[in-house]
Amino acid sequence: MTAISTILRQHAETQYAEELAALAAVDTRQRPPRWKLSPWAVSKYLLGGTLDNGVEISAKYIGNARIIEIAVATLATDRALLLLGVPGTAKSWVSEHLAAAISGDSTMIVQGTAGTSEEAVRFGWNYAQLLAKGPSMEAVVPSPIMRAMRDGKIARVEELTRIPSEVQDSLITILSEKMLPIAELDDEVLAQKGFNIIATANDRDRGVNELSSALKRRFNTVVLPPPATADEEVRIVETRVASLGRALELPGEVPALEEIRRVVTVFRELRAGVTSDSKRKIKAPSASMSTAEAISVITNGMSLAAHFGDGTMRGADVAAGMIGAIVKDPVQDRVVMLEYLETVVKEREGWKDLYRACRDVMN
């Protein structure tokens, strides 16, 4: 059996098992059928805080608490949940942790792509069994959604709008009737209490398939916005970078808060098209400039500093990752970045090292 210490990324229910157990131990509120925790405890798990017995619950989502409360309340009804937002706003992260806290199982996932078939949403067939015994329940290969229906758990559909429209609509009967018909067997699978679906989607990427009106009506949509303030985004990046650093066992020092703040400031200014003091307008690049990409830039900088430096992350260590995250279009984005470097970064006090490092990467 593989040792847990060798696993690169554990499922949320495993990684945070102690926190989930601590919440379950003090959770006296009413739990919906088959939920591992009450809605209050699920929200506490995502938002973090200190329990009455002194146990500290880490924050999985940093932002408007009401957004999480609405999402949890939706899942306690017969409405499915659609987490909508631009790339990098923690939709998949929130989806995973909601499923972990509610069902104790975040692994029932359908990954949406242009090639996702109806079988991935409903069910497929074991053709060896089909040829040997003919159509039967033993020959059915259940999808993650079918398994979640049988077990009364949460199923997750990632990138719903990347799935072809005709495949998306196979969810309509599941969401409205809470059943999955198997016409070939004149049979059906009825959803057990506790079953629901969390879908994620963004409308920023190209190749998005618009949801039909019928399908939209069966979801309660909750929009996850980008972090409202720089301090909030810095805290998110700091928390995730520290967690990733431990998981990857990166040597060296934890990045200084000021270095994280510089990267976050660059991303926020380019994303908004204006400097943080609102005095200068900036051309925006084609990249989404998400918080997730800022986390990646800092993590990459930690690795460079640890393995090819003295362990202390500096401007030179984040420059390459930053340019790679911003300059997606080698012509248009390069012009935008060079202009930003010359008019903003170069003139900002204490940022000369970052300016020089970025210019070196781009030359």
Side-chain angles (χ1 to χ4, degrees), residues 12-29 31 36-38 40-42 44-45 48-58 60 100-101:
E13 58 270 22
T14 302
Q15 185 176 355
Y16 296 95
E18 292 184 5
E19 291 187 13
L20 290 167
L23 278 163
V26 301
D27 185 16
T28 59
R29 292 168 173 80
R31 305 178 188 184
K36 300 294 185 182
L37 299 171
S38 69
W40 169 85
V42 173
K44 191 74 170 177
Y45 169 72
T50 304
L51 302 180
D52 291 341
N53 60 6
V55 174
E56 190 71 27
I57 305 298
S58 61
K60 320 300 180 302

Side-chain angles (χ1 to χ4, degrees), residues 109-122 143-145 156-168 170-171 209:
I109 312 169
V110 175
Q111 179 60 55
T113 69
T116 299
S117 65
E118 191 171 322
E119 287 76 14
V121 174
R122 299 177 72 245
S143 69
I145 291 175
R156 300 164 54 203
V157 181
E158 293 292 315
E159 301 290 354
L160 178 60
T161 51
R162 290 199 163 275
I163 298 175
S165 298
E166 63 274 14
V167 178
Q168 291 176 9
S170 62
L171 286 169
N209 301 302

Side-chain angles (χ1 to χ4, degrees), residues 79 82 160 165 168-169 171-172 175-176 209-221:
R79 297 271 289 180
L82 175 60
L160 178 60
S165 298
Q168 291 176 9
D169 284 345
L171 286 169
I172 291 175
L175 294 179
S176 60
N209 301 302
E210 183 67 24
L211 302 182
S212 67
S213 297
L215 187 55
K216 283 181 181 177
R217 287 195 300 270
R218 285 157 176 81
F219 281 102
N220 188 30
T221 301

Side-chain angles (χ1 to χ4, degrees), residues 80-273:
L81 174 66
L82 175 60
L83 298 176
L84 190 66
V86 298
T89 48
K91 298 183 295 297
S92 297
W93 177 256
V94 169
S95 170
E96 178 185 2
H97 284 285
L98 284 171
I102 292 170
S103 298
D105 185 352
S106 63
T107 64
M108 296 186 184
I109 312 169
V110 175
Q111 179 60 55
T113 69
T116 299
S117 65
E118 191 171 322
E119 287 76 14
V121 174
R122 299 177 72 245
F123 58 88
W125 294 99
N126 180 326
Y127 288 101
Q129 286 275 7
L130 200 61
L131 291 170
K133 300 180 181 178
S136 64
M137 286 301 293
E138 289 73 24
V140 170
V141 178
S143 69
I145 291 175
M146 180 185 278
R147 289 191 286 114
M149 292 176 73
R150 285 174 169 171
D151 297 344
K153 294 184 176 182
I154 300 291
R156 300 164 54 203
V157 181
E158 293 292 315
E159 301 290 354
L160 178 60
T161 51
R162 290 199 163 275
I163 298 175
S165 298
E166 63 274 14
V167 178
Q168 291 176 9
D169 284 345
S170 62
L171 286 169
I172 291 175
T173 300
I174 295 172
L175 294 179
S176 60
E177 305 297 331
K178 309 303 179 190
M179 63 89 117
L180 199 166
I182 306 175
E184 296 86 345
L185 304 180
D186 192 23
D187 204 346
E188 61 188 8
V189 172
L190 300 177
Q192 300 296 304
K193 289 183 178 181
F195 166 74
N196 213 327
I197 289 179
I198 306 172
T200 66
N202 76 75
D203 55 8
R204 176 71 64 87
D205 292 343
R206 296 171 185 170
V208 168
N209 301 302
E210 183 67 24
L211 302 182
S212 67
S213 297
L215 187 55
K216 283 181 181 177
R217 287 195 300 270
R218 285 157 176 81
F219 281 102
N220 188 30
T221 301
V222 172
V223 177
L224 296 184
T229 66
D231 287 343
E232 188 177 288
E233 191 160 4
V234 167
R235 186 181 164 206
I236 293 169
V237 174
E238 181 186 23
T239 302
R240 289 289 293 128
V241 163
S243 176
L244 282 169
R246 290 192 297 271
L248 298 171
E249 299 183 28
L250 289 176
E253 301 173 7
V254 175
L257 196 61
E258 192 53 43
E259 207 60 61
I260 293 176
R261 186 171 293 278
R262 286 206 297 184
V263 172
V264 167
T265 299
V266 170
F267 274 47
R268 290 182 68 86
E269 289 182 334
L270 287 171
R271 192 163 64 215

